[in-house]
């Protein structure tokens, strides 16, 4: 199963979760710090979006990508998911 994170060991999934989560935080903080530079709004958009993508990827390692997508697109989360994805795409 290519798209199933359960084929990875728990230690591997936990390690990649931590790597992606920390990378997401670093990118988001870096994007916020770059906001005050000239043309910093573009850098902010890129780094903040990359941070959000990395944070989403981190939970894919714990839950698995299919379970993650099913949870994101449940009826109670659908509007929030669509708004988040549209805004992330519009920033780039």
């Amino acid at each position: 199963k290519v798209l199933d994170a359960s084929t990875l060991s728990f230690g591997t999934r936990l390690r990649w979760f931590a790597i992606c989560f920390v990378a997401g935080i670093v990118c988001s903080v870096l994007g916020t710090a770059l906001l005050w530079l000239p043309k910093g709004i573009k850098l902010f958009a890129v780094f903040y979006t990359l941070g959000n993508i990395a944070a989403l990827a981190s939970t894919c390692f714990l839950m698995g990508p299919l379970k993650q997508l099913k949870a994101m697109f449940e009826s109670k989360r659908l509007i929030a998911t669509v708004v988040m994805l549209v805004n992330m795409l519009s920033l780039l």
Side-chain angles (χ1 to χ4, degrees):
K1 298 179 188 180
V2 174
L3 294 176
D4 189 6
S6 64
T7 58
L8 301 173
S9 71
F10 180 73
T12 301
R13 288 187 288 143
L14 199 57
R15 191 172 314 121
W16 279 104
F17 164 78
I19 290 168
C20 287
F21 190 74
V22 169
I25 291 172
V26 169
C27 284
S28 296
V29 170
L30 182 60
T32 303
L34 294 172
L35 187 58
W36 288 275
L37 293 177
K39 300 196 181 201
I41 193 75
K42 290 180 182 178
L43 293 171
F44 167 77
V46 169
F47 279 100
Y48 201 78
T49 301
L50 288 174
N52 282 317
I53 292 169
L56 282 172
S58 70
T59 56
C60 283
F61 280 103
L62 291 182
M63 299 174 65
L66 293 179
K67 192 173 179 183
Q68 170 80 18
L69 287 172
K70 286 179 186 176
M72 285 174 62
F73 286 97
E74 286 178 356
S75 61
K76 63 184 176 185
R77 296 186 181 115
L78 182 61
I79 293 172
T81 299
V82 170
V83 168
M84 180 203 61
L85 292 175
V86 166
N87 282 314
M88 282 177 35
L89 293 174
S90 70
L91 289 175
L92 297 176

